[in-house]
Amino acid sequence: MLRQGRLSSASVAWTDMERCGPRRLDPFPGALAGAAHSPILAVMFTKETYVGRRDVLAARLDSGLLVFPGNNESPMNYTDNCYAFRQDSTFLYYFGLDQPEVAAIIDVDTGTATIFGDELTIDHIVWMGDLPTVAARAERAGVMDTRPLAAVADVVAEARAAGRDVHYLPPYRADTSLWLADLMGMAPAEVAQGASLDFVRAVVGQRNIKSDEEIAEIERAVETSVAMHVAAIRMARPGMTEAHIAAEVGRIAEAAGGRTSFPIIATIHGETLHNHVHVNTLSEGDLFLLDAGAETALGYAGDLSSTFPVAERFSERQRTIYELQLAAQVAAVDALAPGVPFRDVHFIGARVIFDGLKDLGIMKGDTNAALAAGAHAMVFPCGTGHMMGLDVHDMENLGEVWVGYDGEPKSTQFGLKSLRLARPLQPGFVVTVEPGIYFIPQLMDLWRAEGHCADFIDFDELDKWRDFGGVRNEEDFVVTSDGARRLGPHKPQTVEEIESLRSNIG
Ligand code: GLY
Ligand code: MN
């Protein structure tokens, strides 16, 4: 099934699109005659962007072919009933075509790029609408050479017969693994192992540094994301379900011309870090945690978290933990600068949380020793942030060790093993900052039973908070030459700002 451009939806915010410049509204130059009733609104950067990106990539590899499988439709419950199509982000980055059933190859030695795809059948056109020819689509990405999809096998076979390297990235979808297995003459189980580390490192090195036009696009995603959060903070009422809030948050993302950048986390059980179940009913005494972001039509992500009381005001206990989490976030944000390892940023936040909980009698002992032992992971069992770009966790499919650690091994310690980014920051990195405080009853019981980190935790005091829930605020930043800049408009998150949005909810 082929999908028409999402921007043909009647819910598109036309004024926003115009603000983004005429490149978004250009029709394809080679559009098929007779397709006037199904307009294709290309959502791509200019072809120079893709040509430039491919040139940089090719210069980073010594020789051989680089194979780019685009994503295919993914069935939900039968072949013609699919999840929303999402193109592979690396394919989007180098070729921009947001359609299924296309692939591409860059020949590093000749510097040429080829897009492989088939013209639509009449059945495709009848059911799903028309698209320009493959050549016309490829031309938008500055690719002049196109061939049928099946020709990928011939090109790869010829290269392999000539003893040339054929590089591909680790696949994350089963159908892509099978396609690569056929192409490379491998068993499917061998495909992941055969992925090209040189290719991974070249892509990561390039995509980790965002260009100005990417940052502008991410900023648009964050702008929509802030609107999603403000709407949720304003609308929550006792008696609503989590699904009411999630539905409105998702609506705003789609109305802006894109969608959400990951499944919405909208929950009164913020202690569950990625809670995607929205069945609970809100009560006056609950804290509500929203972690949601928009993805633009070009595929760039925003990722924000907010926590707010279902009542008009925070309770004393809620406010205490909320302000501690906010202090940790502010301290972590203040530390963002080129050259600073994000691992240090993480521990700056963790230290604020540990020391704050020590003041409350929940934690105890020497802070340095506690942080080294991972005692803070009792309430902060994850990382302070991650890279963000075309993926909300940018390039996680290529391996966190390469994206966030530059090849250094990750810790295996509980908590620290979930830190996705540790490497020194560089200008152009886009990162989230999202320390959190989570009271997870099962984890409390487990560590108490094991005596784990007992020198640093007063389990009786901790137990008094077992039904508290969790708190997270998250914002997005670009690292600059001398610090970092918050992306998008300000997200209300001080106690005063939240209570002001929550006042008069009736
Ligand atoms: N916002 C979801 C995450 O960062 O994992
Ligand atoms: Mn995040």
Side-chain angles (χ1 to χ4, degrees):
M1 299 214 304
L2 282 168
R3 193 175 51 88
Q4 293 295 309
R6 282 196 305 274
L7 290 184
S8 59
S9 150
S11 61
V12 166
W14 291 97
T15 49
D16 283 354
M17 289 180 58
E18 279 158 12
R19 187 170 57 76
C20 302
R23 64 184 165 75
R24 289 170 162 250
L25 298 172
D26 285 348
F28 281 100
L32 287 179
H37 59 285
S38 37
I40 306 299
L41 297 173
V43 187
M44 289 171 64
F45 293 119
T46 61
K47 71 178 73 165
E48 288 73 24
T49 289
Y50 302 103
V51 171
R53 288 173 177 178
R54 292 194 298 268
D55 286 349
V56 169
L57 178 64
R60 288 175 181 227
L61 276 296
D62 288 337
S63 64
L65 300 187
L66 310 178
V67 180
F68 301 82
N71 277 345
N72 297 316
E73 296 280 16
S74 186
M76 285 193 288
N77 48 349
Y78 54 90
T79 308
D80 277 352
N81 203 30
C82 295
Y83 293 104
F85 174 72
R86 177 53 159 83
Q87 184 55 287
D88 173 72
S89 294
T90 300
F91 191 90
L92 272 183
Y93 184 83
Y94 292 106
F95 297 94
L97 301 189
D98 189 12
Q99 299 116 35
E101 294 169 35
V102 283
I105 289 181
I106 294 175
D107 185 324
V108 174
D109 303 296
T110 63
T112 54
T114 304
I115 286 182
F116 299 82
D118 297 329
E119 304 305 341
L120 303 190
T121 65
I122 191 62
D123 287 307
H124 268 115
I125 293 168
V126 167
W127 286 94
M128 304 304 296
D130 207 354
L131 280 177
T133 61
V134 175
R137 285 184 256 158
E139 204 270 338
R140 296 285 295 174
V143 174
M144 307 316 289
D145 184 34
T146 60
R147 304 193 201 174
L149 194 53
V152 176
D154 303 333
V155 173
V156 168
E158 194 179 313
R160 292 179 63 221
R164 301 181 65 200
D165 289 333
V166 176
H167 303 272
Y168 62 86
L169 299 170
Y172 53 92
R173 289 192 177 191
D175 59 333
T176 307
S177 292
L178 294 175
W179 187 80
L180 286 168
D182 270 357
L183 215 54
M184 302 299 293
M186 293 175 171
E190 295 168 350
V191 170
Q193 195 61 33
S196 164
L197 200 50
D198 288 344
F199 193 6
V200 166
R201 296 185 68 155
V203 171
V204 165
Q206 190 176 1
R207 283 182 54 192
N208 260 350
I209 309 291
K210 272 61 181 181
S211 68
D212 289 348
E213 65 184 348
E214 287 186 287
I215 289 166
E217 191 66 21
I218 293 170
E219 203 141 23
R220 276 180 207 115
V222 179
E223 187 175 338
T224 304
S225 306
V226 170
M228 291 153 65
H229 281 254
V230 169
I233 297 168
R234 281 189 200 280
M235 78 177 278
R237 300 281 185 282
M240 284 182 178
T241 65
E242 294 161 338
H244 280 114
I245 316 280
E248 176 60 9
V249 165
R251 186 198 66 74
I252 294 170
E254 292 203 19
R259 59 178 135 200
T260 53
S261 54
F262 58 95
I264 296 167
I265 298 161
T267 181
I268 55 172
H269 285 291
E271 74 278 10
T272 303
L273 303 187
H274 284 181
N275 193 347
H276 296 144
V277 180
H278 302 145
V279 297
N280 296 299
T281 299
L282 281 53
S283 301
E284 179 86 7
D286 291 331
L287 265 186
F288 194 96
L289 192 152
L290 176 71
D291 183 345
E295 178 178 295
T296 65
L298 273 161
Y300 285 87
D303 182 10
L304 302 174
S305 299
S306 302
T307 309
F308 54 89
V310 172
E312 286 195 19
R313 300 175 67 84
F314 290 94
S315 71
E316 229 16 72
R317 273 163 72 86
Q318 288 171 344
R319 185 180 172 129
T320 299
I321 300 300
Y322 187 88
E323 290 197 319
L324 181 55
Q325 186 277 335
L326 216 49
Q329 204 222 7
V330 168
V333 168
D334 283 349
L336 295 175
V340 174
F342 197 80
R343 184 187 284 101
D344 293 356
V345 175
H346 171 72
F347 275 107
I348 284 167
R351 179 177 294 273
V352 171
I353 290 170
F354 186 86
D355 284 341
L357 295 181
K358 217 156 80 167
D359 291 343
L360 293 173
I362 297 171
M363 300 288 179
K364 59 185 182 180
D366 177 67
T367 301
N368 289 335
L371 294 182
H376 58 286
M378 163 53 71
V379 293
F380 181 23
C382 55
T384 291
H386 51 85
M387 297 280 201
M388 190 181 77
L390 276 166
D391 307 295
V392 64
H393 292 175
D394 212 22
M395 293 173 279
E396 198 163 292
N397 59 312
L398 302 184
E400 282 175 358
V401 161
W402 301 110
V403 178
Y405 284 73
D406 199 21
E408 298 289 324
K410 289 182 71 176
S411 170
T412 55
Q413 186 186 67
F414 181 77
L416 202 50
K417 72 178 180 187
S418 302
L419 178 63
R420 302 177 196 280
L421 174 61
R423 67 194 292 171
L425 296 170
Q426 295 177 34
F429 280 12
V430 169
V431 302
T432 68
V433 179
E434 48 177 313
I437 303 177
Y438 312 98
F439 294 94
I440 305 166
Q442 296 88 339
L443 188 60
M444 295 178 185
D445 294 343
L446 180 69
W447 282 26
R448 187 201 272 265
E450 291 176 343
H452 187 61
C453 288
D455 289 346
F456 306 113
I457 301 171
D458 185 325
F459 284 103
D460 288 336
E461 284 302 313
L462 178 65
D463 206 54
K464 295 176 184 167
W465 298 81
R466 68 184 289 122
D467 295 326
F468 181 88
V471 176
R472 172 163 76 248
N473 280 285
E474 173 182 19
E475 297 175 294
D476 307 324
F477 298 84
V478 58
V479 179
T480 61
S481 58
D482 60 355
R485 180 171 74 78
R486 180 179 281 101
L487 291 171
H490 172 69
K491 178 179 81 74
Q493 60 179 24
T494 65
V495 166
E496 294 69 30
E497 288 166 342
I498 295 289
E499 290 188 344
S500 159
L501 285 174
R502 297 292 302 147
S503 63
N504 303 314
I505 63 172

